[in-house]
């Protein structure tokens, strides 16, 4: 299928995969830092951003997303890129590594290392964010997001430093979340995996210390579930850390690609 992507830079290929309800632009704060050393391809996953949804009847499970990403790489002539992913994208990145389709993996707060109550909590949080994005009168949302306190209330679940984000970009991101046709099926099927695997390529799992969606203690569970993983903390960062501290996140990804 024809996935939408942004491509820039040169060097060894580096594929970037976003989380549920997000889009490739979530990587914008780190793109140029990464493109200084890599051929960077930031992808809209199927059913999110500007990419079309999966064919009718698709499960929107891990296998569907991995197949779509592998298909894009084949179309682009990219063989075994480095892969970095956030949340859902982090779990996809891990599975690409397990299947031998990635040369290194960096997973930022990846999904899949939760227990039952934590799945329920994260699912409720994501449904809340989607409901707010779909129901808030635009004028009200603009006024709320114009203040640092308002940004903290509306986006503190996913960002560690929500007050520092641009209100206009947050509005665009909220619209993408509200209109994503893949959201409901992915939440039901793609995000209920409890992941564990032996992965033969180098794996780095980084977790934001202010992650309020996939809580930081899940990092220890991830380190046990993926033997040999390199664990890294992202101080002060939330669930989607790229805009919280672009320099630190880019450094972690670039270092991981050298392992």
């Amino acid at each position: 299928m024809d996935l939408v992507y942004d491509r820039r830079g040169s060097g060894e290929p580096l594929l970037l995969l976003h989380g549920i309800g997000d889009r490739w632009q979530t990587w914008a704060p780190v793109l140029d830092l990464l493109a200084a050393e890599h051929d960077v391809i930031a992808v809209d996953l199927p059913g999110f951003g500007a990419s079309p949804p999966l064919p009718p009847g698709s499960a929107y499970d891990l296998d569907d997303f991995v197949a779509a990403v592998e298909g894009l790489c084949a179309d682009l002539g990219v063989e075994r890129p480095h892969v970095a992913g956030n949340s859902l994208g982090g779990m996809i990145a891990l599975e690409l590594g397990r299947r031998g389709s990635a040369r290194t993996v960096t997973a930022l707060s990846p999904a899949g290392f939760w227990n039952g109550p934590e799945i329920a909590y994260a699912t409720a949080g994501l449904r809340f964010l989607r409901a707010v994005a779909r129901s808030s009168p635009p004028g009200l949302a603009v006024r709320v997001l114009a203040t640092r306190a308002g940004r903290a209330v509306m986006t503190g679940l996913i960002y560690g430093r929500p007050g520092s984000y641009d209100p206009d970009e947050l509005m665009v991101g909220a619209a993408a979340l509200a209109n994503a046709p893949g959201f409901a099926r992915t939440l039901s099927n793609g995000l209920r995996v409890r992941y564990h695997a032996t992965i033969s390529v180098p794996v780095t799992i980084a977790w934001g210390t202010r992650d309020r969606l996939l809580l930081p203690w899940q990092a220890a569970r991830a380190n046990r579930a993926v033997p040999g993983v390199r664990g890294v903390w992202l101080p002060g960062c939330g669930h989607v850390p790229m805009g919280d501290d672009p320099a630190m996140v880019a450094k972690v990804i670039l270092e991981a690609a050298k392992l």
Side-chain angles (χ1 to χ4, degrees):
M1 63 184 304
D2 294 328
L3 298 182
V4 172
Y5 60 89
D6 178 84
R7 189 171 190 175
R8 64 184 75 180
S10 61
E12 292 182 341
L14 169 61
L15 195 67
L16 304 179
L17 306 174
H18 62 74
I20 185 172
D22 217 334
R23 57 203 179 109
W24 72 258
Q25 288 89 344
T26 197
W27 296 97
V30 299
L31 282 180
D32 288 337
L33 295 171
L34 299 175
E37 298 186 26
H38 288 276
D39 171 15
V40 178
I41 306 162
V43 183
D44 276 347
L45 293 171
F48 298 99
S51 284
L54 289 165
S58 297
Y60 281 88
D61 59 9
L62 184 57
D63 286 340
D64 280 345
F65 285 114
V66 169
V69 172
E70 288 178 332
L72 173 65
C73 289
D75 291 343
L76 296 177
V78 172
E79 185 175 356
R80 296 187 71 241
H82 303 281
V83 184
N86 174 225
S87 194
L88 168 65
M91 184 166 61
I92 296 169
L94 291 167
E95 184 63 7
L96 287 166
R98 187 190 71 81
R99 299 185 186 196
S101 298
R103 65 183 75 181
T104 67
V105 171
T106 307
L108 309 176
S109 292
F113 301 104
W114 35 27
N115 58 28
E118 290 161 358
I119 291 175
Y121 165 78
T123 299
L126 289 166
R127 284 181 175 147
F128 168 76
L129 291 175
R130 165 92 153 179
V132 169
R134 300 185 84 176
S135 64
S136 294
L140 174 61
V142 169
R143 291 195 295 275
V144 171
L145 290 173
T147 68
R148 292 179 65 90
R151 293 196 289 279
V153 169
M154 291 188 69
T155 66
L157 192 63
I158 56 174
Y159 299 128
R161 298 163 182 163
S164 65
Y165 284 76
D166 178 77
D168 293 335
E169 285 299 315
L170 293 177
M171 286 295 298
V172 175
L177 170 61
N179 297 318
F183 181 88
R185 295 294 299 277
T186 303
L187 193 60
S188 297
N189 299 327
L191 282 186
R192 293 192 175 271
V193 175
R194 297 191 190 185
Y195 196 83
H196 57 88
T198 298
I199 302 174
S200 60
V201 303
V203 175
T204 297
I205 294 181
W207 223 283
T209 60
R210 294 184 186 174
D211 192 333
R212 299 180 181 93
L213 186 67
L214 300 184
L215 301 170
W217 58 71
Q218 293 177 32
R221 204 175 290 142
N223 293 345
R224 293 192 299 270
V226 183
V229 68
R230 169 179 172 253
V232 177
W233 287 110
L234 302 174
C237 291
H239 182 64
V240 181
M242 293 78 81
D244 287 330
D245 194 331
M248 179 168 56
V249 171
K251 181 174 182 287
V252 167
I253 294 172
L254 292 172
E255 288 178 348
K258 293 180 173 70
L259 295 177

